[in-house]
Amino acid sequence: MGLRPLRPLRRTRPSRLRRLAGLAAVLALLTTLLSAPAATAEVHHPRQQWLRASTAGLFLHWGMYTAPKHLDCAEWERDVTAGGWSADYWVDQARKLGASYIVLATFHSRLGYARPWPSKIPGSCATKRDLLGELVAAGKAKDVKIILYMTDDPQWHNEQGKSSLDSAAYSAYKGEQVDLTTRPGFGRYSYDLFFEVMDNYADLAGFWIDNDNEYWERNRLYEQIREKRPSWLLSNNNEDTPIMDTVSNEQKTGMTPSYDYPQAAFTPMPRLTEADYKLPTTGSWWYDGGDHPVDVRLSTGRYITNAGSSMKSLMAETPMVNGRFPPQQEQFNEFMSRWVPPIQESLRGTEGGGYMYGGMQPGFWNDGAHGVVTVAPGAATQYVHVLTRPRTDQVRLRDNGYQITEVTDLRTGKRKEFTQSGGYLTILGITEWDAYDTVFRVRTAGQRFYYDPSVIRAIASAAHPDHPAANLADGSFEKFWDAGGTLPVSVTLDLGRRRPVTHFAVNQREWSPTYARESFGRPEDSARIKDYRVRLSDDGVSWGAPVRATAMPSARGVQFVDIGDRQARFVRLEVANTWSGPQAPPFHRQLKIDEIKVGYGYPRAAGEAPGEAESAALTGTAAPATCRACSGSAQVTGLGGGAGNAVTIDGLTAATAGEHRLQLDHTAEAPTSLTVRVNGGDPVEVAVPAGGRDVPVSTAIPVPLRAGANSVTVYSTAPRGPGLDRVSAGPMPPSSYVPRTTLTVEPHGVQWLGSGRQSITVSATLRMDVDDALDQVSLAPAVPAGWTVTGAPASAPSLRLGQLLHGTWTLTSPAGQDVTATEIPVTASFRTLGRAKSVAKPVKVRPRPADRVFVREAEDSRNQIGSSGVTGCGRCSGEQKVRNIGGSPDAHVVFGDVTVPSAGVYRLFVDFTVNGTRSYLVSVNGGPPARVTGTGLGNTEPQTESLPVTLTAGANTIRLFNPDEGAPDLDRISLGS
């Protein structure tokens, strides 16, 4: 936890990968491990029940190097006791956080390998006072479990200039020479400690293990723990090891919103999963002498979103030498002791809603709202947690077929008005908002309007032999369909006879994050459906045109595909692609689905939301029409032909005068338009995309509203206008709001150009990642003075969810001079809600050193990096490097098109970072490899080794790899003549 910030994540262990025959087997293993749990994993066991019922744990990093650092074990223990250390204090603080357990990380590689118990096994610091025993007893008295952290890592033993491991003492104890500073020696030492702890602390709850040691695995440590202490839990950091009970996810960041920690998780339910994160916003995982602040918004949001995904919040606080927490952490604990109890019933003993346990849909809701759902057993009672409140006084979310009977504000006990139709629950008139989590208790009469899985037969155009299509509609979320790496792919649902169909609900396997990211130097991406089509058939032979063709959001939880009011026997979902890119091989072109439920209607409840078109004033041919997927189960049609055929909604209120966001929910089988007039003002033309004749799609525009009531008139000048479902208004998003996009620019990495005038080809792709709209989109590089661009800007009138804009250009440096260091931004410009916005990424250009004939960064997009990954490196030449090289055949970097002017012997310079001593194998043009060994003191300081290589004139290929063990991280390579 911060535990090993510079060590590669090993979800696939080198010791195991060495036994694989080739690349195909390696990729298969990677996919299996990342999609797990493996078939042999004990996903359900009685020993896990107490943790499944928990919400949170408290993670304590504390040891000899807690500030002020101690280099003498006895002095540290003396100061611990003299300072008033108390086990009860830790247990009481955990209870204030709503934590059911404490993980004590004292035998930690960065904290002096201290053991807070009287140990008979010499080798590192051990206290005479039984601090661990006192903590276990205090926890037992107050129903707080204690789990002991164990590390596998000896590399930091000399970090303070004095070794914290005593090989001589341990060797004398064992009667043979053992070097604790090596992984095998340390594995042997720590192996003994596991047994000492098991023998002496029967009331301990288990071990939290920071990755694995080959000695442990070879000697069946985990199996022996299971035999000796069958009730104890085992947790493993950052990998899904089948014998472990819990998969822990360390300090994930980069989500939108930032508190939605589960977006970065990679393990599907019902696997027990922890989210491990620091409560102090800054500083180390351990007390470094500072009273660091706690971000209450971030921390409470993580706490709730984890509960909404059946994940346990393992919150790290930083006890001082005397055991007390710095003041700002104590203050946060006091806050939590008051804030959690009123909503405790929505957290403890509940599961995440929208997944295998049932429940409504979590995620992004209306008007900027975001939240999660928790469900009580059976899902008859659900809790809607509004973490980011909407800009309006209502919350609207997909109901997943649950018939709602009552809604109550959990904190105040007040009943709330609501309406339900078209697949949505709308909670109305909300005026009291909690600063961090407004919780509504929702009573239901159960889930309705879904066909029983027994009437559905699923057929797929491709499937992994172990995960057939039959798993798609078997009612079990623990069995799933795997497309076997095939895309495009289709799934056909046979309903047995012609039946009504309005929509279906898709639960994809939650085995990947929701967006492209890097985790401990390994690339990850979303393996969820992107572009899809839906076709219907009565005979399974004739399918006709798609009834729906769009993109599915990359989001956790159940996703819905509305197709209107249809009749068919066969429903086919055709998946064109997924969101994942090729930079993340385990996720690229992979698709797994737990369940698909077919719906034939939507629950309704009394009440009407504001802005319903069918309840407004209608003129001319405008008339209500049934639309079961629409709000209120109706829409208005007949709007084409001009202003005489219109809907006028009076009483659309705004709290203050000014620009507002007006949302129009409309239906259309082909692209068309609507015209909007607000308070009799100038008409505004609104483009309406194709969706379906009775499937609403949303478009938003900025409009001026006055304080109080407003009038909005909507019509169409098209001969046959779209249908109008509803109109809603709310404040504009913050001026800083930019819809989430992904801009990819290639080549990636610093481009080292030779002397004289040079040209490079640059391409870029802009992808729209959220269900929003960009208008007037342009994509182009902006070159410095003297440079020229060949190729026009790429442009599009609009981009919606999943759509792409791509451009390619040739950039040429000024004539008559050498290239100078510069950055050339590639910028995507667009408008959203009338506001001009942009996103950009630079192409970095640098002059190649005079003594080099070739230079390329390891992270350059022209290279192949297999299962290795790109990570930041502030002192590296491009501020990035490639990490996790070695340990398997495809964990490599392959430099293609390494061009030299003539055949001959060149000197290859390899710039790398390494902590300790590791080696590369270097192969040129597929020839026999040469070994390059590097030694370093840290993974942040680049160093250089070199070797002679024989190259052919023109293009060559250079591969750096190590199939047997980890290699150094790679910054770049270069060639000297």
Side-chain angles (χ1 to χ4, degrees), residues 139-154:
K140 183 178 181 180
K142 297 179 180 179
D143 196 25
V144 174
K145 307 284 188 180
I146 309 301
I147 295 175
L148 185 64
Y149 170 100
M150 296 292 281
T151 184
D152 74 316
D153 184 12

Side-chain angles (χ1 to χ4, degrees), residues 714-785:
V714 182
Y715 58 92
S716 178
T717 57
R720 182 179 177 182
L724 184 65
D725 175 14
R726 63 192 285 267
V727 175
S728 60
M732 291 280 284
S735 58
S736 59
Y737 173 72
V738 180
R740 194 174 75 200
T741 60
T742 296
L743 176 60
T744 303
V745 176
E746 295 184 341
H748 171 78
V750 172
Q751 302 304 299
W752 297 91
L753 303 184
S755 59
R757 194 176 199 191
Q758 301 290 329
S759 294
I760 56 173
T761 299
V762 172
S763 63
T765 301
L766 179 69
R767 186 184 71 192
M768 186 63 179
D769 290 347
V770 293
D771 196 5
D772 213 326
L774 306 181
D775 300 313
Q776 302 174 36
V777 190
S778 177
L779 182 63
V783 296

Side-chain angles (χ1 to χ4, degrees), residues 848-900:
R848 194 171 65 214
D851 62 346
R852 298 290 192 269
V853 297
F854 177 89
V855 181
R856 188 186 296 165
E857 301 294 326
E859 68 272 14
D860 194 295
S861 56
R862 291 170 292 181
N863 301 331
Q864 300 174 33
I865 65 171
S867 62
S868 302
V870 176
T871 191
C873 175
R875 296 184 181 180
C876 293
S877 61
E879 298 184 346
Q880 288 184 311
K881 63 181 179 179
V882 173
R883 188 181 181 189
N884 292 322
I885 303 169
S888 66
D890 78 317
H892 58 196
V893 183
V894 180
F895 295 80
D897 198 24
V898 178
T899 304
V900 294

Side-chain angles (χ1 to χ4, degrees), residues 73 174 202 246 292 357 389 408 491 658 705 731 809 864 959:
C73 186
K174 298 295 287 187
T246 307
H292 299 287
Y357 301 102
R389 59 159 293 186
T408 306
V491 171
L705 296 181
W809 310 270
Q864 300 174 33
R959 178 180 179 227

